Amino acid sequence: MPTYREPQLQSVEQTDILIVREMHCFFDFKKDYVFPHTILTLILSGSAQAMYDGQIFNHHKNDLAIILPGHVMHPLDCTDDFTYALLFISPKMLDDLRFHTFSHDHEKFNNAPVCSLTDDQAAHLLSIADQLETIANLTDKEFPHRYQTLLAQLAVGYEFLNYYRRDQDRQWAENRYADTFNRFCDLVAKHYRESREVKYYAELLDLTPKHLSKVIRTATNGLSPVEWIEQYVTTQAKRLIEARARQTLQETAYMLGFTEPTSFYRYFKRVTGMTAKQYRDSLFDKFTAPVGATGRADREK
């Protein structure tokens, strides 16, 4: 069964895109996932259910799901015959894509992360993915205009995707809370190290905290803005703890924007019900810190 591995994801920065042709089932139903890349997922067979930024979506054959950088995806369930193809896009490629595409409605990727396609439409996008993979596997020496050609081919796929989604535009427009909710998600992903206060994000959105609370509770079926922020921050904390086994919890706290590690320790325990150290220890049978890295700074109060 194919699985994601860190070297694979690191290669996205080197090749600009990464295509995984067939995945079976989800990787872990117990975890939240936050990626630095844009990920397009085309369902090849079966069905599944996943949570994206606190909202539950059902996925079926020929559905195209889009996960944006910094947003939270949590697998919930899938059938035994569930398979899907993946396209990872590097942040640099995405920025250049936004500049070069003709239609500038990227926010629809937030408002409707799942798009239903016909058999022909799905097959067409897969053929574009084949061309992308061929170009991505070439070196700059072999193909001097590799990056520009890759970007142009990706832009073609993006324009066709928007063309295929046009009939769903009316549904997105009717959801008056979708845009605000997704702007809130984007802002938290961008500024969570600076602030974890609801008032901060309400001011950025030019809303009162009360109105923002109504929007978030409606969009997430009852989750408050502060609960959403807490879940996001602790998800990022878990991701750092998992990815940086030899990093102290103090360093993790600073990376998350906490000025005092003890504040992070209390925050993590209040939200998750366990200490950050307990979570770290649950991941590794035996954790050996670098010489001099353990001690007072890494003890939780």
Side-chain angles (χ1 to χ4, degrees), residues 7-285:
Q8 280 185 302
L9 294 183
Q10 290 175 351
S11 72
V12 179
E13 310 303 328
Q14 301 169 358
T15 61
D16 305 302
I17 69 165
L18 171 68
I19 294 175
V20 181
R21 289 190 167 275
E22 188 172 328
M23 289 284 294
H24 296 270
C25 195
F26 284 124
F27 11 96
D28 194 334
F29 290 106
K30 299 179 181 180
K31 291 176 61 176
D32 291 324
Y33 290 88
V34 180
F35 295 99
H37 315 98
T38 297
I39 306 173
L40 278 68
T41 305
L42 181 63
I43 312 305
L44 303 175
S45 65
S47 60
Q49 189 178 71
M51 191 158 53
Y52 181 78
D53 286 340
Q55 295 179 301
I56 295 176
F57 293 90
N58 294 309
H59 307 275
H60 305 283
K61 182 182 177 181
N62 292 338
D63 280 355
L64 183 71
I66 303 168
I67 304 171
L68 293 175
H71 290 250
V72 182
M73 193 279 287
H74 185 107
L76 295 175
D77 195 12
C78 69
T79 58
D80 292 338
D81 61 341
F82 178 58
T83 61
Y84 54 104
L86 291 165
L87 169 64
F88 292 84
I89 305 173
S90 71
K92 180 181 185 302
M93 177 67 74
L94 181 65
D95 287 341
D96 288 340
L97 176 66
R98 284 172 168 162
F99 181 78
H100 284 86
T101 48
F102 300 108
S103 51
H104 300 283
D105 50 1
H106 304 275
E107 68 279 357
K108 291 178 184 175
F109 286 136
N110 262 347
N111 297 350
V114 179
C115 172
S116 298
L117 305 174
T118 66
D119 287 342
D120 288 343
Q121 290 169 349
H124 184 207
L125 291 182
L126 282 173
S127 70
I128 293 175
D130 289 340
Q131 293 295 326
L132 284 169
E133 187 172 35
T134 299
I135 300 167
N137 288 337
L138 296 171
T139 65
D140 292 332
K141 184 176 181 179
E142 294 171 323
F143 196 33
H145 300 292
R146 172 191 169 279
Y147 185 85
Q148 293 89 337
T149 307
L150 191 63
L151 180 62
Q153 182 72 6
L154 190 61
V156 168
Y158 175 80
E159 293 299 335
F160 269 106
L161 176 56
N162 275 302
Y163 171 65
Y164 294 150
R165 297 188 314 170
R166 65 181 182 179
D167 291 335
Q168 299 179 32
D169 287 0
R170 300 183 190 90
Q171 299 176 24
W172 301 331
E174 290 172 0
N175 188 341
R176 60 195 179 104
Y177 288 143
D179 181 62
T180 300
F181 171 66
N182 287 294
R183 286 169 59 204
F184 167 77
C185 294
D186 279 341
L187 287 170
V188 174
K190 183 177 181 180
H191 298 291
Y192 73 93
R193 296 179 184 86
E194 301 163 34
S195 178
R196 294 169 289 278
E197 300 294 328
V198 175
K199 182 180 178 182
Y200 175 87
Y201 296 99
E203 289 177 351
L204 289 178
L205 292 165
D206 198 24
L207 299 173
T208 64
K210 182 178 180 180
H211 183 66
L212 178 59
S213 178
K214 181 180 179 181
V215 170
I216 305 307
R217 288 184 183 278
T218 300
T220 61
N221 294 318
L223 206 63
S224 71
V226 68
E227 289 172 329
W228 199 97
I229 294 169
E230 288 173 346
Q231 288 189 14
Y232 187 87
V233 173
T234 52
T235 294
Q236 290 286 12
K238 291 176 181 178
R239 183 181 65 84
L240 287 174
I241 292 171
E242 292 165 11
R244 300 168 183 264
R246 298 182 68 82
Q247 178 173 279
T248 67
L249 294 175
Q250 180 188 51
E251 291 170 324
T252 299
Y254 291 144
M255 290 184 69
L256 292 167
F258 289 85
T259 56
E260 293 293 336
T262 53
S263 298
F264 164 64
Y265 302 153
R266 289 193 295 268
Y267 189 93
F268 190 95
K269 184 175 182 179
R270 177 172 57 79
V271 177
T272 67
M274 66 170 70
T275 67
K277 184 177 184 301
Q278 287 172 333
Y279 180 76
R280 182 183 64 182
D281 291 346
S282 71
L283 297 174
F284 311 103
D285 293 331

